[in-house]
Amino acid sequence: MEEVVLKKLRELIGWDSGDGIFCPGGSLSNIYAMNVARYQRFPDSKRTGIWALPRLAVFTSQESHYSVQKGAAFLGIGTDNIYLVSVDERGKMIPADLERQINKAKSEGACPFFVNATCGTTVLGAFDPLVDVADVCKRHGAWLHVDAAWGGSALVSRKHRHLLDGIERVDSVAWNPHKMLMTGLQCSAFLLRDSSGLLQRCYCANATYLFQTDKFYDMAYDTGDKTVQCGRKVDCLKLWLMWKANGTEGLEKRVDRAFEFTRYLADAMKGREGFLLVTEPEFINLCFWFVPASLRGKQGCADYWERLGKVAPAIKERMMKKGSMMVGYQPLGSRVNFFRQVVTNPMVTKQDLDFFLDEIERLGKDL
Amino acid sequence: MEVDNNKQEVFQRKKNAVLVNGVILNGPITDSKAGEKFVEEACKIIMEEVVQKAADVTEKVCEWQPPEKLKKLLDLEMRDTGEPHQKLLQLCQDIIRYSVKTNHPRFFNQLYAGIDYYSLVARFITEALNPSVYTYEVSPVFLLVEEAVLKRMIEFIGWKEGDGIFNPGGSVSNMYAMNLARYKYCPEIKEKGLSGLPRLVLFASEECHYSMNKAASFLGIGTQNIYFIATDERGKMIPEELEKQVQRARKEGAAPFLVCATAGTTVLGAFDPLDKVADICEKYGLWLHVDASWGGSALMSRKHRKLLQGIHRADSVAWNPHKMLMAGIQCCALLVKDNSDLLKKCYSAKASYLFQQDKFYDVSYDTGDKSIQCSRRPDAFKFWMTWKALGTAGLEERVNRALALASYLVGEIKKREGFQLLLEPEYANICFWYIPPSLRKTEEGPEFWEKLHQ
């Protein structure tokens, strides 16, 4: 079943062969990718470690997921060796800066071996431009991994999959159906274009009490040695049964609906006083500030942003104590706390979205 | 299920229908009544086919099919359109039918088996609620439960206080420990990486779990920098050999930093002599991690806990309640003696979209940053539920019974012709050869062993 499911996901990426495995989370999928890339470049390092290697360099956007940091530390690469690539005002990686960073790393004697592009950043929901990024990676011989843990599910929608144009050119993809496709935690796929058994070679330990070579069936089916885990949960069944029930078209409807919610809400916000979009959403992350009446028209004030940054936490506290709804907030770079509204639940209706706007107003109007 | 075409038309005719780009927004697309019915009927199947049959020894443990045949029997294809509920329910039945029944009393294949009703209910609850244990705001109950369970487990190890986290597997716990020990040894490695540093070396018994190998390569240390320590005829690490290897590593100019002792090896179920190993670790300033994924549960038994004598001297312990204590996969804790937030310092990345410092509650409860994971399952809850149901006494009884059953079987094996023990077990692993009648008269020589191997 896992084989069939992974194959389906690979088809949606645009590969007619390849490899993969389900991991306990997108963070681990990203870390797997980093390690496979390292192994591919330096296969001996599995045995010898990376002591004697040149400093390995990793590239990722400023707005990528923090698992890249955690991965670099865990794998012994070191977080200082992550080169953060600038993003534009929409939160998308700037390919020219990636090129600059790679050249910088090379000039410092480091080895640029891994680039992480993000399709659907955590906060803004931005998609890095894969075609251009792939060109840069190809020029420099770097492994290109796409963290599509969040945005990967757009591949199921014929209308919106263009956000991931170029994905068929990458070396590996992390995709979490447990997010937009609602399979239930955990359900995170790590997919590779390689079909030479790289994943197996990278991870295998050939433990004799599990992977005996004298079994009575075709042992190529014993795929557990492709992972760092021993015991592993059955995460593919959730996705498989859900796919059987909804069909690709049913899942597509789910994804399209989420986009339309976002469109509806963004338009509604533009028509309402006090709601200020952080950026035009590319995906289904709708980021906005709620500006209470007391602050409206006061952008000129020196402490405007500082005061605005206190609004979201206060509204959050009120909504949680009331129990009426929950939505996240965070700062980002130089931007003070703003809300990140994400609607993926197909049970949500227009009434829920209208309620959302009304409730923010209700909770924040006297701030 | 999705709203069918007729209903769509009805919606469109209504004056207050809201359409955005052809998608109707003022009615849900999921038919929740049909969905609820599906859940009820599927639960009935699960109840009948899995739960009620669990203890029935007349049922088969496995319904073997070769891979190519099974592919045909199961309609695995994922199509463009969905299938009707009756078909889906049939698929559920097929999946159950052809899956191995690990709950069966005659499933002895792995280091876990059997059904615990309380942990099962806990799993149903967490599956239905679908939480992620990163912050208190999203997962208040399960975070507090994890904290309470870790505290209790720490008490059983014999530490007054400590730290810990639940991981997706003992292999991952072992990796965490290796990374933590490395971080303690040289915190700068988190930022600077290993390139250009002296070669770190770790030590583990030759019968340790293979996750040691996986961890060493994953962490960039390299599998050849694990020095495997010889074991005695009972599969236990020989402390004198450990000391020799540590001295050897130092002579080579390498940097020994970690010893991993195993309490309950995978195959033989052997327990490394923790006190003696701890002495050596103290002498040479090495982090002592005990992989008690399998054997840790013996701590629950006053009669058998002596197998882990000295465990309180460890710096970290991996313990999997999903094995002998039947908490349901996954349920694996990494316990750490340090109480100075070492775990958090080693793993944190302080992501501002999760771990904001301006929340309205005490953010020290947002323990998710101690983990390498982002979303994380509430695995401690299963164990907590079972503990609540059985009490420490009930869990102790479970361990005692397992070891008593093992004892009984050993007694029987010794009496029966054709059964030969490899060694006297100290835990629940009973390793033996079955010598068929055709080989019983043969001398024990290379030919005998070759044939026996088959």
Side-chain angles (χ1 to χ4, degrees):
Chain A
M1 187 182 283
E2 187 173 38
E3 289 307 304
V4 168
V5 176
L6 290 168
K7 187 162 184 279
K8 190 71 174 173
L9 298 177
R10 284 194 298 263
E11 275 166 23
L12 288 165
I13 288 170
W15 297 332
D16 48 29
S17 61
D19 205 344
I21 198 104
F22 275 88
C23 296
S27 297
L28 274 157
S29 292
N30 289 338
I31 299 172
Y32 265 59
M34 204 184 285
N35 190 43
V36 172
R38 175 173 67 180
Y39 174 80
Q40 197 222 33
R41 182 68 78 93
F42 301 105
D44 282 345
S45 67
K46 179 177 179 178
R47 196 177 37 90
T48 61
I50 62 173
W51 320 96
L53 292 184
R55 196 167 58 87
L56 296 174
V58 165
F59 305 84
T60 190
S61 99
Q62 286 168 326
E63 301 206 1
S64 61
H65 190 259
Y66 68 92
S67 52
V68 178
Q69 262 73 10
K70 296 215 176 194
F74 206 61
L75 295 179
I77 290 170
T79 54
D80 283 354
N81 297 316
I82 300 173
Y83 291 70
L84 290 177
V85 183
S86 305
V87 299
D88 63 20
E89 69 291 347
R90 296 197 73 193
K92 301 155 86 80
M93 187 190 276
I94 299 171
D97 196 47
L98 172 62
E99 175 96 43
R100 250 194 309 277
Q101 297 289 341
I102 290 179
N103 286 326
K104 175 164 180 265
K106 278 180 163 174
S107 72
E108 291 167 356
C111 171
F113 80 106
F114 182 78
V115 173
N116 175 60
T118 314
C119 280
T121 54
T122 313
V123 179
L124 297 183
F127 285 67
D128 291 342
L130 294 181
V131 173
D132 294 336
V133 171
D135 285 342
V136 176
C137 291
K138 188 150 185 237
R139 258 204 300 288
H140 295 279
W143 179 287
L144 175 53
H145 170 69
V146 175
D147 177 5
W150 176 218
S153 300
L155 288 169
V156 163
S157 160
R158 282 164 290 187
K159 189 165 178 208
H160 298 287
R161 47 176 299 127
H162 65 88
L163 287 168
L164 296 107
D165 269 349
I167 197 170
E168 70 287 349
R169 294 178 57 191
V170 313
D171 296 298
S172 58
V173 177
W175 177 355
N176 289 8
H178 72 226
K179 290 184 157 58
M180 207 183 201
L181 298 180
M182 299 161 57
T183 56
L185 262 59
Q186 303 271 36
C187 189
S188 172
F190 172 57
L191 302 147
L192 294 95
R193 185 151 48 106
D194 170 87
S195 45
S196 76
L198 180 66
L199 188 57
Q200 169 83 11
R201 288 194 305 275
C202 177
Y203 287 109
C204 72
N206 300 312
T208 54
Y209 78 96
L210 278 175
F211 306 107
Q212 302 85 336
T213 49
D214 53 7
K215 291 189 188 182
F216 67 98
Y217 60 85
D218 180 358
M219 288 156 317
Y221 284 99
D222 287 353
T223 51
D225 221 6
K226 285 188 198 177
T227 80
V228 301
Q229 296 183 279
C230 179
R232 198 162 65 94
K233 283 188 76 87
V234 176
D235 290 329
C236 63
L237 175 59
K238 300 179 279 213
L239 181 58
W240 182 84
L241 191 62
M242 200 184 67
W243 209 302
K244 280 300 223 184
N246 292 283
T248 316
E249 286 171 9
L251 297 179
E252 180 182 43
K253 277 203 189 96
R254 206 172 263 189
V255 172
D256 288 344
R257 188 179 168 87
F259 275 92
E260 299 323 322
F261 279 143
T262 311
R263 178 84 345 254
Y264 170 80
L265 210 50
D267 289 343
M269 277 186 193
K270 286 173 181 169
R272 272 205 202 204
E273 229 200 320
F275 286 85
L276 179 64
L277 285 188
V278 172
T279 177
E280 194 68 31
E282 182 175 23
F283 192 39
I284 64 169
N285 303 38
L286 186 55
C287 297
F288 68 96
W289 286 285
F290 175 69
V291 187
S294 65
L295 279 178
R296 283 175 210 167
K298 302 230 170 86
Q299 285 92 311
C301 290
D303 63 348
Y304 175 79
W305 290 105
E306 196 201 316
R307 287 165 69 189
L308 188 60
K310 295 196 164 81
V311 170
I315 293 178
K316 179 73 180 274
E317 176 175 1
R318 288 175 177 186
M319 75 174 67
M320 285 200 68
K321 287 184 173 165
K322 191 175 170 191
S324 54
M325 65 185 196
M326 278 181 74
V327 64
Y329 73 84
Q330 65 287 297
L332 186 67
S334 58
R335 293 155 163 146
V336 302
N337 285 327
F338 56 90
F339 286 111
R340 179 194 64 173
Q341 169 64 326
V342 180
V343 188
T344 55
N345 184 352
M347 298 255 218
V348 168
T349 65
K350 177 187 168 299
Q351 289 91 309
D352 297 310
L353 299 181
D354 292 338
F355 174 85
F356 172 74
L357 296 171
D358 293 339
E359 185 74 349
I360 295 266
E361 271 175 2
R362 267 191 294 270
L363 294 172
K365 65 174 186 271
D366 65 337
L367 288 175
Chain B
M1 298 309 292
E2 314 297 46
V3 179
D4 67 26
N5 283 331
N6 277 337
K7 283 187 181 165
Q8 269 209 0
E9 277 154 35
V10 169
F11 271 126
Q12 280 177 316
R13 263 182 253 124
K14 284 186 180 168
K15 284 212 182 103
N16 57 351
V18 175
L19 270 166
V20 179
N21 288 338
V23 178
I24 293 165
L25 292 190
N26 61 336
I29 58 169
T30 309
D31 180 347
S32 48
K33 285 280 164 264
E36 284 160 30
K37 185 155 183 283
F38 181 72
V39 172
E40 268 174 28
E41 288 176 4
C43 281
K44 199 158 165 282
I45 292 174
I46 294 169
M47 200 54 205
E48 283 167 9
E49 299 299 318
V50 184
V51 182
Q52 281 164 359
K53 287 186 179 174
D56 187 348
V57 297
T58 65
E59 291 287 325
K60 283 177 145 184
V61 176
C62 61
E63 192 144 342
W64 168 260
Q65 295 291 343
E68 293 305 317
K69 177 131 188 262
L70 189 57
K71 279 192 215 182
K72 296 196 178 84
L73 287 169
L74 298 168
D75 173 25
L76 289 172
E77 202 194 326
M78 293 144 80
R79 301 186 178 89
D80 286 342
T81 50
E83 314 206 19
H85 274 185
Q86 274 314 113
K87 175 88 197 296
L88 295 174
L89 291 171
Q90 182 58 52
L91 284 172
C92 290
Q93 283 185 304
D94 293 341
I95 288 162
I96 292 170
R97 180 175 167 196
Y98 295 110
S99 291
V100 171
K101 307 295 184 296
T102 65
N103 297 325
H104 196 289
R106 291 158 189 188
F107 174 78
F108 303 113
N109 220 57
Q110 311 298 143
L111 298 180
Y112 74 93
I115 187 168
D116 178 288
Y117 301 104
Y118 311 103
S119 113
L120 183 62
V121 165
R123 277 133 73 198
F124 286 154
I125 292 174
T126 54
E127 288 302 336
L129 288 173
N130 199 30
S132 177
V133 195
Y134 20 52
T135 56
Y136 183 81
E137 73 177 68
V138 169
S139 195
V141 171
F142 300 115
L143 260 179
L144 292 181
V145 164
E146 182 175 44
E147 197 184 33
V149 173
L150 287 168
K151 188 158 181 279
R152 223 40 192 102
M153 290 172 85
I154 281 167
E155 278 165 22
F156 273 84
I157 290 171
W159 298 331
K160 284 201 194 67
E161 42 185 23
D163 202 349
I165 196 141
F166 272 80
N167 293 316
S171 299
V172 178
S173 291
N174 286 338
M175 274 189 206
Y176 263 64
M178 199 181 284
N179 189 42
L180 197 60
R182 177 174 68 178
Y183 178 79
K184 176 85 199 276
Y185 182 83
C186 179
E188 286 176 0
I189 290 178
K190 182 177 179 180
E191 288 99 31
K192 306 238 176 308
L194 295 173
S195 181
L197 283 190
R199 188 169 59 95
L200 287 174
V201 167
L202 64 120
F203 309 85
S205 107
E206 57 191 3
E207 302 209 4
C208 69
H209 189 258
Y210 70 94
S211 53
M212 282 294 123
N213 279 302
K214 297 214 177 196
S217 45
F218 206 55
L219 266 51
I221 292 171
T223 54
Q224 74 182 22
N225 295 314
I226 306 175
Y227 288 12
F228 291 103
I229 312 301
T231 54
D232 62 20
E233 70 290 346
R234 298 200 70 197
K236 300 154 93 75
M237 188 193 279
I238 300 170
E240 295 74 22
E241 287 299 315
L242 170 62
E243 181 147 28
K244 272 198 206 131
Q245 293 292 335
V246 173
Q247 288 164 346
R248 173 195 150 204
R250 279 182 158 192
K251 269 205 201 78
E252 291 168 353
F257 77 109
L258 164 71
V259 173
C260 174
T262 313
T265 55
T266 314
V267 178
L268 298 181
F271 286 68
D272 290 342
L274 298 180
D275 263 320
K276 294 212 174 105
V277 172
D279 287 340
I280 296 170
C281 291
E282 263 169 37
K283 185 174 174 189
Y284 293 93
L286 308 172
W287 181 286
L288 173 57
H289 171 66
V290 178
D291 178 5
S293 299
W294 175 216
S297 301
L299 288 170
M300 306 297 304
S301 158
R302 283 165 291 185
K303 185 169 177 206
H304 297 287
R305 51 176 298 129
K306 61 180 174 330
L307 288 166
L308 296 109
Q309 174 109 357
I311 196 170
H312 63 282
R313 299 175 64 189
D315 295 295
S316 60
V317 176
W319 176 358
N320 291 5
H322 74 222
K323 290 184 156 65
M324 202 183 250
L325 299 178
M326 298 165 61
I329 284 170
Q330 306 272 30
C331 190
C332 309
L334 172 72
L335 290 334
V336 181
K337 197 197 305 193
D338 169 272
N339 206 34
S340 72
D341 263 350
L342 185 68
L343 194 54
K344 186 159 185 209
K345 286 182 210 146
C346 176
Y347 286 105
S348 77
K350 302 195 177 75
S352 58
Y353 78 95
L354 276 176
F355 305 107
Q356 302 85 331
Q357 298 299 298
D358 54 5
K359 293 189 188 181
F360 66 99
Y361 60 87
D362 178 359
V363 297
S364 67
Y365 282 100
D366 287 353
T367 49
D369 217 9
K370 283 189 208 174
S371 170
I372 200 177
Q373 294 180 283
C374 180
S375 11
R376 200 162 62 93
R377 292 176 62 100
D379 290 328
F381 183 58
K382 299 177 279 213
F383 188 31
W384 180 87
M385 194 68 140
T386 299
W387 205 316
K388 279 298 223 183
L390 300 179
T392 315
L395 293 173
E396 178 182 43
E397 210 186 299
R398 193 169 272 185
V399 174
N400 288 343
R401 186 181 166 87
L403 296 180
L405 285 168
S407 225
Y408 168 78
L409 197 57
V410 167
E412 290 302 300
I413 284 176
K414 286 176 174 167
K415 285 187 236 162
R416 275 201 199 208
E417 221 203 324
F419 285 80
Q420 185 172 322
L421 279 183
L422 256 84
L423 50 78
E424 194 73 28
E426 66 178 328
Y427 197 45
N429 307 38
I430 301 163
C431 299
F432 69 95
W433 286 284
Y434 173 69
I435 303 168
S438 64
L439 281 178
R440 282 175 208 168
K441 297 282 191 307
T442 316
E443 281 270 333
E444 272 188 29
E447 203 196 310
F448 169 81
W449 290 114
E450 203 199 305
K451 288 207 173 120
L452 187 60
H453 185 65
Q454 283 158 31

